[in-house]
Amino acid sequence: MIEDKNQKKTSLEELGEFGLIEHLTKSFESKQESTLKAIGDDAAVLDLKDKKTILSTDLLIEGVHFDLSYMPLKHLGYKAIMVNLSDIYAMNAIPTQITVSVAVSNRFPLEALEELYAGIELATKTYNVDLVGGDTTSSKTGLLISVTAVGVANEADITYRNGAKPNDLLVVTGDIGGAYMGLQVLEREKEVYKVNPNSQPDLEPYSYIIERQLKPEARKDIVELLEKLEVKPTSMIDISDGLSSEVLHLCKQSQVGCDLYEDKIPLDPTVISSCEEFGIDSTLVALSGGEDYELLFTVDQEDFDKIKGNPNLTVIGHMTDKSLGANMVTRSGSKIGLTAQGWNSFGA
C-alpha cells in the first residue's frame, strides 16, 4: 500500500505531556472491579482484595526489538501488550491492568502515536485489561515502549518455573517457529524494497507466519482451559526466547533434566515450507527462533488422560533426573544436549 505523503501531522509540542496523555487515553474505559482509579492522578489505585498480585515489565526499543519499516504502529502497540500479558499467563494468573510508557523522537507526529495507542486499546478490549497509567517523554534514539502488566491469582493456582519433577510430562501449546519465519520473510522483502521501491510483494502465502510475528496473541485461553480440565501445571514459562532456552530455564529452576523429542515438536505446514524455501532446518527454528508467546509447562503423568487429544496441547517430552541433563531425542533416536541459542538481549 502506497503511503499518503500528505497526511496531516500534528507536532507533539502542541499538546504538551499532559495534553498528550489525555488525548491518547480519552477513549480507554476501565472494566475491572479492582480498578478504583486509573489515569488522571499521581498514581493508580487498585483493590485486589484477597488475591495475590503478579507484576511483569518489558521494554521494547526501536532497532533492537522492532523495525518500523515493516511493523505497523497499530500492530506494535498490540504486540507490546501481548509480550507482557504472556508473562502473566505463564504464572497461571489473569492479567487485570497495564501501564504504558513511551519515549518518542521528534520524527513522530501525534497521528503516529494515535496509531500506536489504537493497537494498545484493541489489546485492552480483547484481553479485558485496564490501562491505569504510564509516562511519556522525548527520545533521541527513536521509539521506546515500556509496559508493566498487573495480574491476580489465588496463591494455590500460581505456577512457578521451579516445580517440575522427574517423570513430569513436558507440554507446549499451539505451534512453534512461526514468528521467526515470519520475520525472515519480512526481512527479505525489506531488502527487495531497498533495491526496487516499486515492487509489490505477494505475502499471501506467508500470512500465517507474518501474523505470528506482527500480531501475536497471548494464550489466555490456556489458563482457562487448564482450570476447566482441573490440571495444575507443576512449572510453566512462556516461549519468548526460543524453545530450547525455555526448556533449560525450567530444568535449571526445577533442578531436573529433560528429554525433548524432535518428532513431537508441533510445526505449522507454513513453517515447514518456508524453512525449506529459506534453506533453514525447521527444528533449529523451533528451538532457537523465539517470539512465539506460546506456553511451555510440565504436568504430573497422572494428568495425561486429561490433556491427551486436546488440539491446543502437545506433549513433547518428559523431565528426568538432573544428572541426565537436558537433551533432545532426534528422529533417529540419538540424544543431543540442548543449548540455549535463542534471543540474547545483550548479544552483538
Side-chain angles (χ1 to χ4, degrees):
M1 187 172 68
I2 305 298
E3 182 182 1
D4 181 2
K5 301 297 184 181
N6 297 316
Q7 294 181 48
K8 178 186 176 184
K9 295 184 178 180
T10 306
S11 169
L12 300 182
E13 291 183 56
E14 294 182 27
L15 288 86
E17 179 182 2
F18 296 110
L20 176 63
I21 294 172
E22 182 179 357
H23 178 86
L24 293 174
T25 61
K26 61 186 177 184
S27 62
F28 285 76
E29 297 180 358
S30 296
K31 297 184 175 67
Q32 295 286 336
E33 289 183 7
S34 54
T35 304
L36 300 186
K37 180 65 178 179
I39 297 167
D41 217 305
D42 291 305
V45 180
L46 310 179
D47 180 7
L48 302 174
K49 297 184 170 62
D50 58 345
K51 291 183 180 291
K52 301 302 179 183
T53 305
I54 318 294
L55 284 172
S56 178
T57 298
D58 272 289
L59 178 65
L60 302 180
I61 301 174
E62 183 180 357
V64 177
H65 301 100
F66 59 88
D67 186 335
L68 290 178
S69 64
Y70 50 71
M71 169 65 85
L73 284 165
K74 187 173 183 179
H75 286 69
L76 176 60
Y78 192 91
K79 182 174 181 176
I81 306 307
M82 293 306 106
V83 170
N84 282 266
L85 299 191
S86 184
D87 286 333
I88 302 297
Y89 293 125
M91 300 294 292
N92 205 30
I94 302 297
T96 50
Q97 287 89 10
I98 56 168
T99 67
V100 178
S101 297
V102 296
V104 290
S105 65
N106 58 13
R107 86 173 198 268
F108 291 90
L110 172 63
E111 288 72 21
L113 290 189
E114 287 176 337
E115 278 293 294
L116 180 72
Y117 272 74
I120 293 171
E121 184 176 9
L122 177 60
T124 63
K125 290 180 177 178
T126 304
Y127 285 78
N128 196 34
V129 296
D130 293 342
L131 176 67
V132 298
D135 193 17
T136 60
T137 189
S138 61
S139 164
K140 294 184 178 179
T141 56
L143 176 62
L144 295 86
I145 308 170
S146 177
V147 178
T148 295
V150 180
V152 296
N154 294 317
E155 186 171 9
D157 295 330
I158 298 173
T159 302
Y160 301 96
R161 298 179 183 181
N162 63 358
K165 307 178 300 297
N167 299 318
D168 280 356
L169 300 176
L170 183 65
V171 185
V172 71
T173 66
D175 54 79
I176 309 298
Y180 180 81
M181 291 314 299
L183 179 62
Q184 301 315 298
V185 172
L186 292 168
E187 288 286 353
R188 181 183 66 183
E189 296 308 323
K190 176 184 175 180
E191 294 305 312
V192 171
Y193 178 81
K194 287 180 181 178
V195 176
N196 181 13
N198 294 318
S199 65
Q200 292 293 322
D202 179 16
L203 299 178
E204 180 60 31
Y206 311 103
S207 58
Y208 176 71
I209 57 177
I210 288 176
E211 184 172 359
R212 293 283 281 176
Q213 170 60 219
L214 297 183
K215 190 176 177 290
E217 299 289 348
R219 296 306 304 259
K220 70 173 181 178
D221 58 315
I222 298 301
V223 174
E224 299 165 355
L225 173 65
L226 293 175
E227 182 180 17
K228 182 179 180 180
L229 294 175
E230 298 183 345
V231 172
K232 166 69 187 299
T234 53
S235 68
M236 185 152 59
I237 192 172
D238 79 323
I239 303 176
S240 57
D241 299 332
L243 180 60
S244 61
S245 294
E246 313 304 1
V247 169
L248 289 171
H249 282 311
L250 292 185
C251 288
K252 180 179 180 180
Q253 294 290 322
S254 296
Q255 295 293 297
V256 294
C258 175
D259 279 351
L260 165 67
Y261 290 84
E262 181 182 17
D263 62 352
K264 300 297 184 183
I265 298 174
L267 300 171
D268 186 84
T270 310
V271 172
I272 297 173
S273 61
S274 60
C275 283
E276 293 174 351
E277 181 182 346
F278 279 81
I280 306 174
D281 181 74
S282 59
T283 299
L284 181 61
V285 167
L287 292 176
S288 305
E291 288 202 294
D292 289 305
Y293 298 107
E294 296 291 345
L295 295 176
L296 176 72
F297 59 93
T298 55
V299 297
D300 191 288
Q301 285 203 26
E302 292 183 358
D303 286 328
F304 175 67
D305 286 340
K306 298 178 182 178
I307 65 173
K308 70 178 181 181
N310 192 293
N312 295 288
L313 308 174
T314 304
V315 177
I316 60 173
H318 63 272
M319 313 315 278
T320 62
D321 189 83
K322 180 182 178 181
S323 63
L324 299 176
N327 302 285
M328 181 178 74
V329 180
T330 68
R331 292 183 177 90
S332 63
S334 60
K335 284 190 178 184
I336 301 174
L338 282 177
T339 57
Q341 299 177 356
W343 169 256
N344 178 0
S345 299
F346 300 99

